[in-house]
């Protein structure tokens, strides 16, 4: 059995009421899951305050309550621990509980607005092909070797992270690549983890519903680099103006990558086609099946990280050339009548712009580009008009539709998106609220040789409407419709 005093190691404690020399059960931050002898950590959330459920946790058998303020009335036999920050305390307790699993493998975190899943997944694949057992914590899935576990968040809560890292160690994993979202950093989901490296991709508009403004969003990301240990590497995209900012206060070894400026890892695009990219990396040629300028950055980050982790150069280059695109990221299908349907997870204005610019740089003049896109509900509404503008300015035709409306009115979201369309582009757009119907509309308009981009949902296999997830897979649906239309 684990002792309370052991799992409180390094936790910043204000006061304790009761005994810490006691054996405890599991750790929970949801009172509804508490069982006999568990530790309940009360967290102030965005919807409710965990401190209101201390009594319920006690009724369910909690032996220990960890909170930022202790209740006046205490129950005999329960140990109360007052801490400065419950979320941080939870993360440290979780690390201690699983015996600091991040120290027993090389953990690399990827942060930035776009490209996290792509880079983390490619690194997982690269080191797997190099013969290692590798862990992955990403938006799409959590993986231990080839075993896959479902996930709902990009960066899970600290208990889950440490539980999976422990499982990875038990499976003999040498590395784990994980996405570190700004919510994750802000909510201390990654506090107390020992990272061997951190990667910064880029910073653009997203999540400004959650963070007060862009500067705060940037500073949260920076905190991840501020907290890296001295023996870790901090690898940043120096073409992004915020790359330098990330390095300002880090103790870690500073490394840079870039396509446009001098950097430790310098890339150059030689060819950019539908079949892939020909790159020059530190003066060595490399062919990759990944498509688009933005993927040149991702490939460069992958090469650099693998190099910093000690992978032999030629093996590094050879395996990168074998890597396939990540699920739902520029995945494409060509129909019998030669209509190209591309499914991509672009759900920010910058990602959408990059994807559309890539398609425009590759396609020929007589191929029409039809974009199907929407924005998620209960998420940053200020990105909606920007996405409407980008989609309509860079496509020949746009069908605005729903993404995951969640609890919002889908037509209202579409109106927000349409508000960004400039007068000269309005004639190119139409709105079809039902996403399947919108895809069908695009397929009906498309002629042989045309390109349909379906953006925003990528790998997702559901559509969330009013707290219910319905089966929905953009790629499956577009294939089915094009086939049914005999196109
Ligand atoms: C806004 C946000 O990030 N919310 C996360 C947060 O929950 P919350 O603050 O809303 O929690 P709350 O409902 O207010 O409850 C507060 C506390 O009371 C507890 N409680 C509540 C009820 C009860 O009866 N008893 C009880 O003890 C809850 O367990 C919780 O500890 O903490 C939870 C546990 O870690 C997360 O699951 C939850 O993620 C929600 C589901 C979410 O949708 N998050 C998204 C926005 C997110 O995190 N996205 C990022 C970014 C993706 C990207 O990069 O694009 C990600 O990493 O996935
Ligand atoms: N390096 C990049 N720069 C800009 N855009 C990118 C980059 N890499 C990918 N994208 C675009 O962003 C989309 C999402 O990519 P990816 O899933 O790798 O990002 P992410 O950071 O994991 O996103 P999330 O915040 O949802 O976890 C892709 O489908 C593509 O359109
Ligand atoms: N991690 C992102 C994913 C957005 C994907 C998009 N399909 C949506 O539902 O808005 C978020 O939670 O904001
Ligand atoms: Mg991701």
């Amino acid at each position: 059995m684990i002792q309370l005093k052991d799992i409180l190691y390094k936790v910043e404690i204000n006061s304790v009421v009761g005994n810490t020399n006691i054996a405890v059960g599991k750790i929970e931050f949801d009172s509804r899951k508490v069982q006999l002898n568990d530790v309940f950590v009360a967290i102030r959330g965005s919807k409710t305050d965990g401190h209101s459920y201390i009594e319920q946790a006690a009724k369910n058998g909690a032996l220990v309550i960890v909170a930022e303020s202790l209740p006046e009335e205490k129950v005999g036999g329960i140990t109360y621990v007052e801490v400065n920050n419950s979320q941080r305390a939870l993360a440290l307790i979780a690390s201690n509980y699983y015996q600091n699993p991040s120290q027993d493998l090389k953990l690399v975190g990827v942060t930035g607005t776009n490209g996290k899943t792509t880079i983390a997944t490619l690194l997982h694949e690269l080191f797997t092909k190099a013969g290692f057992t590798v862990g992955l914590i990403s938006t799409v899935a959590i993986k231990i070797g080839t075993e896959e576990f479902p996930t709902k968040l990009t960066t899970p809560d600290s208990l889950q992270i440490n539980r999976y890292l422990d499982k990875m160690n038990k499976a003999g994993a040498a590395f784990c690549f994980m996405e570190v979202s700004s919510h994750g950093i802000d909510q201390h989901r990654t506090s107390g983890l020992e990272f061997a490296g951190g990667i910064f991709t880029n910073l653009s508009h997203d999540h400004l519903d959650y963070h007060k403004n862009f500067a705060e969003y940037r500073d949260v990301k920076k905190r991840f680099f501020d907290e890296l240990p001295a023996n870790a590497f901090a690898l940043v995209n120096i073409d992004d103006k915020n790359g330098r900012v990330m390095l300002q206060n880090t103790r870690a070894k500073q490394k840079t990558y870039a396509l446009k400026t001098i950097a430790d890892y310098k890339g150059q695009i030689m060819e950019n086609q539908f079949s892939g990219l020909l790159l020059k990396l530190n003066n060595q040629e490399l062919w990759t099946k990944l498509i688009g300028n933005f993927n040149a950055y991702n490939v460069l980050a992958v090469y650099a990280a693998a190099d910093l982790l000690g992978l032999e150069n030629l093996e590094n280059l050879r395996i990168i050339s074998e890597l396939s695109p990540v699920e739902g990221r520029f995945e494409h299908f060509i129909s019998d009548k030669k209509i190209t349907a591309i499914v991509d997870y672009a759900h920010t204005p910058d990602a959408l712009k990059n994807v559309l610019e890539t398609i425009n740089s590759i396609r020929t003049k007589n191929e029409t580009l039809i974009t199907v896109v929407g924005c998620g509900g209960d998420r940053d509404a200020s990105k909606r008009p920007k996405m409407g503008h980008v989609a309509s300015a860079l496509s020949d035709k746009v069908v605005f539709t729903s993404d995951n409306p969640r609890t919002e009115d889908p037509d209202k979201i579409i109106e927000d998106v349409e508000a960004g369309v400039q007068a000269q582009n309005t004639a190119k757009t139409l709105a079809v609220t039902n996403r399947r119907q919108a895809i069908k509309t695009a397929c009906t308009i498309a002629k042989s040789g045309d390109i349909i981009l379906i953006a925003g949902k990528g790998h997702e296999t559901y559509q969330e409407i009013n707290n219910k997830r319905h089966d929905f897979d953009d790629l499956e649906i577009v294939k089915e419709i094009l086939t049914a239309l005999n196109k």
Side-chain angles (χ1 to χ4, degrees):
M1 283 289 258
I2 293 199
Q3 294 287 310
L4 175 59
K5 68 170 182 337
D6 293 335
I7 59 170
L8 290 177
Y9 181 62
K10 283 193 177 172
V11 174
E12 293 122 13
I13 296 172
N14 289 338
S15 67
V16 176
V17 180
N19 191 356
T20 57
N21 277 314
I22 50 171
V24 295
K26 48 189 178 47
I27 321 292
E28 295 292 356
F29 57 86
D30 184 336
S31 58
R32 293 162 289 196
K33 294 187 182 154
V34 169
Q35 292 173 323
L36 192 64
N37 294 339
D38 284 353
V39 176
F40 173 66
V41 184
I43 289 173
R44 292 187 213 281
S46 57
K47 294 200 288 288
T48 175
D49 184 353
H51 292 78
S52 325
Y53 303 97
I54 290 181
E55 209 181 303
Q56 191 193 26
K59 278 202 188 115
N60 286 348
L63 187 59
V64 180
I65 305 286
V66 177
E68 289 172 12
S69 59
L70 303 183
E72 300 244 312
E73 279 179 36
K74 306 204 172 45
V75 179
I78 292 184
T79 302
Y80 293 85
V81 182
E82 192 191 84
V83 294
N84 272 336
N85 183 320
S86 295
Q87 284 171 326
R88 188 169 159 78
L90 174 67
L92 296 175
I93 289 173
S95 258
N96 291 329
Y97 184 84
Y98 289 103
Q99 283 151 19
N100 302 300
S102 60
Q103 296 174 358
D104 295 335
L105 42 67
K106 285 196 165 157
L107 177 64
V108 176
V110 190
T111 197
T113 307
N114 294 119
K116 299 183 295 296
T117 300
T118 306
I119 292 173
T121 308
L122 292 177
L123 279 166
H124 175 269
E125 217 178 305
L126 171 62
F127 277 91
T128 302
K129 282 184 192 278
F132 296 94
T133 300
V134 189
L136 173 71
I137 300 179
S138 86
T139 314
V140 181
I142 293 178
K143 284 189 188 171
I144 303 179
T146 49
E147 203 182 345
E148 216 174 299
F149 306 86
T151 180
K152 281 199 164 173
L153 292 173
T154 289
T155 305
D157 64 72
S158 54
L159 268 176
Q160 273 207 60
I161 296 175
N162 282 283
R163 187 161 62 83
Y164 277 109
L165 289 175
D166 180 44
K167 265 176 175 272
M168 288 173 195
N169 284 329
K170 289 186 173 133
F175 300 94
C176 173
F177 299 101
M178 77 176 285
E179 287 186 54
V180 178
S181 67
S182 57
H183 293 76
I185 302 168
D186 188 53
Q187 294 169 22
H188 289 278
R189 297 179 199 159
T190 53
S191 289
L193 296 176
E194 192 168 307
F195 284 94
I199 304 175
F200 168 75
T201 62
N202 48 63
L203 208 64
S204 63
H205 185 144
D206 203 10
H207 303 308
L208 295 186
D209 52 335
Y210 183 86
H211 304 289
K212 269 193 238 96
N213 50 47
F214 191 78
E216 191 195 285
Y217 176 45
R218 179 197 63 207
D219 291 345
V220 167
K221 296 270 185 204
K222 178 175 171 288
R223 224 168 69 200
F224 173 65
F225 293 92
D226 292 350
E227 288 172 6
L228 286 178
N231 59 357
F233 63 80
L235 173 67
V236 305
N237 168 8
I238 209 76
D239 281 345
D240 187 294
K241 65 176 182 305
N242 287 301
R244 290 252 175 251
V245 178
M246 298 299 134
L247 295 178
Q248 261 164 17
N249 301 93
T250 188
R251 286 173 295 161
K253 276 180 285 179
Q254 306 192 1
K255 297 286 171 185
T256 56
Y257 65 96
L259 291 178
K260 297 179 191 153
T261 47
I262 298 170
D264 296 314
Y265 296 91
K266 174 83 169 88
Q268 203 184 330
I269 299 175
M270 313 295 288
E271 278 176 45
N272 182 1
Q273 302 167 354
F274 248 122
S275 50
L277 287 163
L278 181 65
L279 300 175
K280 223 180 207 181
L281 297 190
N282 285 359
N283 288 320
Q284 310 160 94
E285 276 199 4
L286 169 74
W287 171 256
T288 155
K289 287 183 254 178
L290 279 96
I291 302 160
N293 274 14
F294 58 91
N295 269 321
Y297 281 103
N298 296 338
V299 169
L300 190 53
V302 167
Y303 169 80
D307 188 57
L308 291 166
L309 289 166
L311 194 67
E312 195 274 322
N313 183 52
L314 288 180
E315 194 181 18
N316 192 354
L317 290 169
R318 177 182 62 77
I319 304 178
I320 288 186
S321 69
E322 290 170 6
L323 298 177
S324 306
V326 176
E327 210 183 311
R329 274 77 183 156
F330 220 105
E331 253 192 313
H332 68 281
F333 159 76
I334 303 175
S335 74
D336 288 346
K337 301 271 161 63
K338 303 277 174 279
I339 294 171
T340 302
I342 301 168
V343 168
D344 188 84
Y345 197 46
H347 55 77
T348 66
D350 187 57
L352 189 60
K353 178 168 168 277
N354 287 330
V355 169
L356 288 167
E357 281 177 353
T358 289
I359 298 171
N360 285 329
S361 68
I362 299 171
R363 70 176 167 139
T364 58
K365 277 211 179 65
N366 39 21
E367 295 164 354
T368 302
L369 170 57
I370 308 159
T371 298
V372 180
V373 69
C375 284
D378 302 336
R379 292 288 186 273
D380 189 351
S382 65
K383 71 179 176 183
R384 294 174 190 167
K386 290 188 175 183
M387 293 194 46
H389 166 64
V390 168
S392 56
L394 298 175
S395 319
D396 298 312
K397 269 241 146 350
V398 184
V399 187
F400 288 125
T401 187
S402 306
D403 189 292
N404 292 307
R406 299 194 175 85
T407 62
E408 283 194 62
D409 171 5
D411 292 325
K412 172 72 181 54
I413 300 176
I414 294 175
E415 276 173 31
D416 290 348
V417 174
E418 285 176 324
V421 178
Q422 291 179 346
Q424 73 270 24
N425 294 323
T426 45
K428 294 184 192 172
T429 74
L430 66 158
V432 181
T433 312
N434 180 297
R435 193 168 176 96
R436 178 185 282 271
Q437 285 308 319
I439 296 174
K440 192 168 178 187
T441 305
C443 293
T444 311
I445 301 170
K447 306 173 305 310
S448 177
D450 289 350
I451 300 168
I452 302 172
L453 169 70
I454 306 169
K457 291 178 55 57
H459 64 281
E460 293 176 354
T461 51
Y462 61 85
Q463 186 178 30
E464 189 176 322
I465 306 172
N466 276 326
N467 294 321
K468 239 191 122 196
R469 288 189 169 190
H470 306 265
D471 285 349
F472 202 99
D473 183 328
D474 283 347
L475 193 61
E476 285 311 308
I477 289 172
V478 72
K479 279 182 189 171
E480 184 192 301
I481 294 174
L482 284 172
T483 310
L485 291 174
N486 197 17
K487 281 200 161 181

